[in-house]
Amino acid sequence: MSVSENITKFLNNEIPSNVKLIAVSKTKPVETILEAYQSGHRVYGENKVQELVTKYEQLPKDIEWHMIGHMQSNKVKYIAPFVSLIHGVDTFKLLKVINKEGRKNNRKLDCLLQFHIAKEETKFGLDMDEAIEFLKSDVFKNLEHVNICGVMGMATFTENEATIRAEFKELVHIFNELKKTFFSDNEDFKEISMGMSNDYKIAIEEGATMVRIGSILFGARNY
Ligand SMILES: *Cc1c(COP(=O)(O)O)cnc(C)c1O
């Protein structure tokens, strides 16, 4: 089956219409993304700034690009002019830089706060206490060029469904608490980005509004 057919089939059979599919095209060449594009799908995710910029330059401009990976502050400037959503905001230093680059580009940049929900130390993300402290601050209130649209998280890489489910439940809990305390009058704060090829079914059951899927659509990656 072609990549384009994979996407169509996946959208028709696996994803409720209220969940957004981010097709994760990292490591795949532009030819493959063009093939995927034939399906009509327009939302793609990358995890490296340089690769994202190169693909943005070479591919049709109606693609909505999502930055899903860990990002260094000094690279925000390269994607600020065109990126649709930055999923992995895991420090407030990064958020301040995103704000600065948003101002330079005269746009408000949509972001998700990434939370550390997995048992693995290697994964990135904020914890609730640091998030609350920052969201209460005047510094945060003055960031006029970022728009916080919700939260993102990655579950532990494990076969244990109960672990994954508990971690996704924790992210939903974090979302609900932040919504209630800081974002009750921000309609845009509504996204929960969770679920990848191995755990998207659980993520959708637990309330994901966005899933980030690579290998199911594009095949395994060779790094
Ligand atoms: C690579 C990646 C994905 C997609 O992973 P698959 O297992 O191929 O679906 C999702 N989210 C992030 C942050 C990634 O880096």
Side-chain angles (χ1 to χ4, degrees):
M1 211 167 3
S2 72
V3 170
S4 167
E5 285 168 327
N6 275 348
I7 291 185
T8 303
K9 195 172 131 228
F10 193 76
L11 280 170
N12 289 339
N13 300 328
E14 301 291 330
I15 305 274
S17 57
N18 59 332
V19 174
K20 187 161 182 165
L21 172 65
I22 319 302
V24 177
S25 48
K26 64 190 189 193
T27 78
K28 301 296 173 184
V30 290
E31 293 74 20
T32 306
I33 304 172
L34 263 183
E35 226 175 280
Y37 183 90
Q38 303 308 317
S39 69
H41 194 65
R42 293 292 178 265
V43 187
Y44 294 85
E46 291 283 334
N47 71 337
K48 295 212 162 67
V49 167
Q50 186 52 59
E51 192 174 338
L52 176 53
V53 170
T54 308
K55 288 174 176 174
Y56 165 74
E57 285 167 353
Q58 296 181 13
L59 284 159
K61 291 299 172 284
D62 63 344
I63 290 180
E64 188 183 299
W65 288 106
H66 289 226
M67 176 64 194
I68 62 169
H70 177 66
M71 195 172 31
Q72 287 166 330
S73 316
N74 60 357
K75 300 216 170 135
V76 176
K77 58 176 178 281
Y78 301 113
I79 62 168
F82 69 88
V83 70
S84 272
L85 181 63
I86 300 172
H87 289 236
V89 178
D90 55 4
T91 64
F92 289 108
K93 174 174 175 250
L94 179 60
L95 193 65
K96 284 185 260 182
V97 175
I98 294 171
N99 183 67
K100 189 178 89 190
E101 296 301 330
R103 186 188 308 117
K104 278 194 209 157
N105 286 278
N106 198 21
R107 60 190 296 240
K108 212 166 176 166
L109 295 174
D110 287 344
C111 298
L112 303 179
L113 300 178
Q114 180 172 359
F115 283 87
H116 187 266
I117 53 171
K119 304 290 167 285
E120 297 147 314
E121 279 305 317
T122 50
K123 288 195 170 135
F124 296 101
L126 299 159
D127 66 41
M128 195 58 166
D129 292 342
E130 48 180 335
I132 289 172
E133 191 179 337
F134 186 78
L135 293 172
K136 299 201 291 218
S137 71
D138 289 336
V139 177
F140 175 69
K141 289 180 192 117
N142 290 324
L143 299 181
E144 291 181 334
H145 292 271
V146 294
N147 189 26
I148 310 287
C149 299
V151 299
M152 180 269 210
M154 291 169 86
T156 304
F157 188 73
T158 172
E159 302 275 293
N160 186 332
E161 226 186 275
T163 300
I164 296 171
R165 193 177 295 280
E167 291 172 0
F168 287 155
K169 275 188 197 298
E170 188 187 335
L171 188 63
V172 172
H173 174 74
I174 289 169
F175 171 86
N176 288 331
E177 288 298 308
L178 296 183
K179 179 78 191 173
K180 192 169 67 188
T181 314
F182 299 104
F183 297 100
S184 53
D185 54 7
N186 180 351
E187 284 175 17
D188 296 334
F189 189 89
K190 60 177 165 42
E191 306 296 352
I192 303 176
S193 168
M194 61 184 190
M196 312 179 13
S197 291
N198 65 316
D199 57 17
Y200 72 90
K201 286 198 166 91
I202 306 172
I204 291 171
E205 284 166 12
E206 294 304 329
T209 65
M210 292 181 167
V211 290
R212 310 175 309 271
I213 310 283
S215 19
I216 288 183
L217 307 175
F218 291 101
R221 290 178 292 272
N222 316 301
Y223 285 102

